[in-house]
Amino acid sequence: MTETTAEGFVRARRPEQREVRRQAILDAAEALLGELPMADISLRELSRRAGLATSNVLRYFESREAVFLELLARERGLWLDALPSELPPRPQGAESATYSVDVFARAYADSIARRPLLCEMASAMSSVLERNVSVEVVRLFKRAALADNRRLAAILADRVPGLGEAAALELASTVTVLVSGLWPLANPGPAVIEAIEDEDLHAAHVDFAGRLSRMTALLTDSLRR
């Protein structure tokens, strides 16, 4: 059942109707992030793109940041769904002796690099997205993030010989931190892009996937038994 207000807004009543409306708002946020920097996207612009009044968006999300936090959680879940098919299979028997951490690390880094939306939001999580939200929203997000980290660790432990449960958890969480730091360095603003075109500043270029792959390989090698 839906209810039409005096302003013409059709209020979703059933849980499935509310979920459809929530996903439509998240879709609008995702589309905008493909066009504008996150800092330039206001709640008003997000509401306009979703075809709703700002007050109606606030029926589903308490702030702009809450929308992006949930979009981050959605993108992370979609990545985890796809990750097993993007990593090399676990070697069997004698093949384990020739296992290449570098091959695993490159596949892992490439899987992340193919999802710029996930990287962009992960890099803004603590400095932007976890501000202007309530304690309860943060609690829900953190619980979901911890569950996703355990799911990620299980995938990694399944694919990397010698990587135990505790080590896989550490690898999963540490690579997340690496992504958050490397992404903005590899995707700077216009002034930085122009400046590092100078011949003596070429070393300042950051190849996101390449650097993440090397750091992941080093970390994985150190954590294997």
Side-chain angles (χ1 to χ4, degrees), residues 188-205:
V192 176
I193 291 173
E194 183 175 349
I196 61 179
E197 287 306 311
D198 289 0
E199 186 174 347
D200 61 331
L201 293 176
H202 281 185
H205 285 269

Side-chain angles (χ1 to χ4, degrees), residues 42-220:
S42 65
L43 185 59
R44 177 174 295 181
E45 178 62 21
L46 177 57
S47 303
R48 187 195 64 77
R49 178 61 64 93
L52 299 169
T54 300
S55 59
N56 293 329
V57 171
L58 292 172
R59 295 178 186 273
Y60 298 91
F61 298 96
E62 63 182 34
S63 65
R64 179 195 79 123
E65 290 76 13
V67 175
F68 289 130
L69 274 183
E70 187 150 337
L71 181 59
L72 170 56
R74 187 174 80 169
E75 291 299 308
R76 189 172 54 209
L78 292 172
W79 171 57
L80 291 174
D81 290 343
L83 182 61
S85 67
E86 297 177 356
L87 293 178
R90 184 186 185 94
Q92 301 299 318
E95 294 177 355
S96 295
T98 59
Y99 179 78
S100 173
V101 167
D102 288 340
V103 170
F104 156 74
R106 186 71 210 199
Y108 189 22
D110 285 347
S111 175
I112 297 170
R114 280 192 292 270
R115 294 164 172 84
L117 179 62
L118 176 63
C119 297
E120 178 72 21
M121 290 190 295
S123 71
M125 184 182 70
S126 60
S127 61
V128 177
L129 302 187
E130 292 182 340
R131 311 297 173 95
N132 194 32
V133 286
S134 66
V135 171
E136 185 56 31
V137 165
V138 174
R139 283 195 183 111
L140 289 171
F141 176 76
K142 291 294 188 185
R143 287 179 181 131
L146 289 173
D148 283 343
N149 198 59
R150 291 191 293 270
R151 181 183 172 194
L152 174 56
I155 294 170
L156 300 179
D158 179 67
R159 296 306 176 92
V160 181
L163 194 67
E165 180 181 349
L169 279 168
E170 185 170 355
L171 177 61
S173 59
T174 303
V175 171
T176 299
V177 174
L178 293 176
V179 169
S180 299
L182 282 174
W183 183 257
L185 290 175
N187 296 273
V192 176
I193 291 173
E194 183 175 349
I196 61 179
E197 287 306 311
D198 289 0
E199 186 174 347
D200 61 331
L201 293 176
H202 281 185
H205 285 269
V206 176
D207 171 10
F208 176 76
R211 186 74 62 85
L212 182 62
S213 176
R214 290 192 295 276
M215 296 173 79
T216 299
L218 289 169
L219 181 59
T220 303

